[in-house]
Amino acid sequence: MLSSIILIEYRYHILSVFFKNSNGLKKSILIMASIGIVGAGLFGIYHFKKDSSDGRAFIWKVTTEIMADAPVFGVDFDRFKANYMNYQADYFEKNGETPEALVADNTYYAFNEWLQYAVENGLTGGVFLALFLYALFKVNVDKKEQFMVAISFSGLLAISGFALFSYPMQILPIKMIIVILLGFLSVLDRRKYKILNIQNKPHIPVFFKATVFILGTIGIVKGVEYANSLDRGFETWQNALNKYRYGDYDGALEDYAKAYPVFRKEGDFLMNYGKALSIAEQYGKAVGILEEAKQHLNTTIIETALGDAYKGLKQYDKAETAYYHAVTILSIVFTSKTL
């Protein structure tokens, strides 16, 4: 709605004409009516999916506790999902069976990109973000190109608003749109600097040109190789999942082992691999893979599979610890069903 209002106002100047030709009373009425409509809309949206809204509010509440423990440098890039569930378990451990447990679940994202960025990067990352936003708003373009600025900023504003309640930065098409919009602003900026302006530097050494060409070629080749390895890895991972669903655990484990070098730092993959190892009663390997998975992701699935693996190894104390942690992550969701 905000981005649409900006584009309509830029094209037709409805609001600017209204404010220019209206007295103070009409302006006040419009402002109050707008606030009332927005407020009523938000209230209605909240109650339309109340559990979902309450779940997000609870996630934000727990997320602020993570931020308090690592305010300067954060928990590190892309490490939110490795830390959050432990804090959720600690919250229920301290506060007991609160009503918030009814909306608790396995959580990968903070459902607020700004908050998740702050948690992962801390104040240090906040400084870089502030500098980036400052440079963004200082873009200076010719008057004839102002419409492209309006389009770019309205698109970025829409994504920024979406980022307050969801996880657009985890969605590839939205990332591509952001890059394109930022590219528009960069190209149109009259104050941009050209680091390599070939026209003004006709005597660039041949050695330098050859070096750039070789490095560029190597980069392209390596990039294509990596993309192909990812493609084959995802195909092998999917085959492993299909075999697992049909009970072909040996075949699934063979495919998981093939894909492991590609996804050895991918929490979801390690969770699937470790679970399959535990089901296949390869408990020693399962513990190793599941402990690796916890470095990148933590869910009740990992904890229960870890408990099963430790139980299979007859390490009952460790199994009990894993099971208990799985229960405390979701608190009364389990106990209420049991009762």
Side-chain angles (χ1 to χ4, degrees):
M1 287 176 62
L2 276 174
S3 59
S4 298
I5 289 171
I6 289 174
L7 289 176
I8 292 172
E9 173 62 17
Y10 181 82
R11 177 66 179 83
Y12 298 105
H13 307 289
I14 297 172
L15 292 176
S16 57
V17 171
F18 175 83
F19 277 100
K20 184 178 180 180
N21 299 326
S22 301
N23 55 34
L25 179 60
K26 289 184 179 180
K27 294 177 183 178
S28 299
I29 292 173
L30 177 62
I31 293 172
M32 294 302 295
S34 300
I35 294 173
I37 293 171
V38 171
L42 292 174
F43 182 79
I45 291 171
Y46 168 75
H47 283 279
F48 179 70
K49 284 193 173 183
K50 187 176 183 300
D51 289 343
S52 179
S53 301
D54 290 340
R56 280 166 166 76
F58 173 63
I59 291 170
W60 299 340
K61 183 178 181 179
V62 175
T63 300
T64 56
E65 295 184 7
I66 309 176
M67 192 186 307
D69 286 345
V72 179
F73 298 106
V75 297
D76 207 357
F77 176 73
D78 200 32
R79 296 280 296 168
F80 174 85
K81 57 188 177 183
N83 289 271
Y84 175 83
M85 298 303 286
N86 291 327
Y87 277 84
Q88 183 168 294
D90 290 342
Y91 179 87
F92 288 128
E93 187 77 25
K94 294 175 184 175
N95 298 282
E97 297 180 356
T98 67
E100 294 156 323
L102 296 173
V103 294
D105 201 351
N106 289 311
T107 299
Y108 284 52
Y109 313 115
F111 289 91
N112 185 318
E113 291 283 4
W114 301 100
L115 189 58
Q116 184 164 330
Y117 179 88
V119 167
E120 293 182 344
N121 302 283
L123 291 173
T124 305
V127 171
F128 285 104
L129 179 62
L131 291 173
F132 169 76
L133 293 175
Y134 175 78
L136 187 65
F137 283 102
K138 293 293 287 185
V139 168
N140 190 348
V141 304
D142 292 328
K143 189 173 183 180
K144 63 180 181 179
E145 306 289 359
Q146 283 292 334
F147 75 99
M148 285 303 304
V149 175
I151 291 173
S152 298
F153 272 109
S154 64
L156 292 172
L157 178 63
I159 295 170
S160 299
F162 184 33
L164 289 171
F165 307 100
S166 191
Y167 42 87
M169 292 303 295
Q170 315 300 326
I171 302 171
L172 182 59
I174 294 180
K175 288 183 179 180
M176 295 171 66
I177 291 172
I178 292 173
V179 171
I180 291 171
L181 295 176
L182 293 175
F184 285 152
L185 294 173
S186 177
V187 168
L188 296 173
D189 191 355
R190 292 185 297 187
R191 298 173 302 171
K192 61 181 177 291
Y193 296 94
K194 295 183 179 180
I195 299 174
L196 289 176
N197 189 337
I198 305 298
Q199 293 179 346
N200 295 334
K201 299 177 182 179
H203 304 296
I204 295 178
V206 175
F207 172 77
F208 179 77
K209 292 180 179 180
T211 302
V212 171
F213 175 77
I214 293 171
L215 292 176
T217 302
I218 292 173
I220 292 172
V221 171
K222 292 295 183 182
V224 171
E225 289 178 353
Y226 180 66
N228 287 334
S229 69
L230 278 179
D231 185 52
R232 291 191 298 270
F234 277 116
E235 184 177 352
T236 305
W237 185 0
Q238 185 60 54
N239 290 336
L241 288 171
N242 292 335
K243 291 176 181 178
Y244 176 86
R245 293 190 186 102
Y246 286 103
D248 181 9
Y249 300 124
D250 291 337
L253 291 177
E254 185 178 342
D255 284 333
Y256 278 128
K258 289 179 183 177
Y260 175 77
V262 179
F263 300 115
R264 64 185 184 275
K265 294 184 179 181
E266 172 56 52
D268 284 299
F269 171 82
L270 295 172
M271 176 178 65
N272 295 156
Y273 189 10
K275 178 72 173 177
L277 286 166
S278 181
I279 293 292
E281 299 183 357
Q282 297 186 27
Y283 300 122
K285 288 184 179 180
V287 167
I289 294 296
L290 291 167
E291 289 290 355
E292 286 183 44
K294 287 181 66 174
Q295 302 303 312
H296 307 284
L297 174 69
N298 199 9
T299 66
T300 54
I301 297 173
I302 293 175
E303 293 292 350
T304 52
L306 198 56
D308 292 342
Y310 278 126
K311 185 175 69 173
L313 294 171
K314 301 187 186 305
Q315 298 180 21
Y316 300 117
D317 289 342
K318 291 183 178 179
E320 184 178 359
T321 299
Y323 287 139
Y324 182 74
H325 191 58
V327 171
T328 54
I329 283 175
L330 301 186
S331 190
I332 64 170
V333 171
F334 286 104
T335 57
S336 62
K337 289 180 180 178
T338 303
L339 292 172

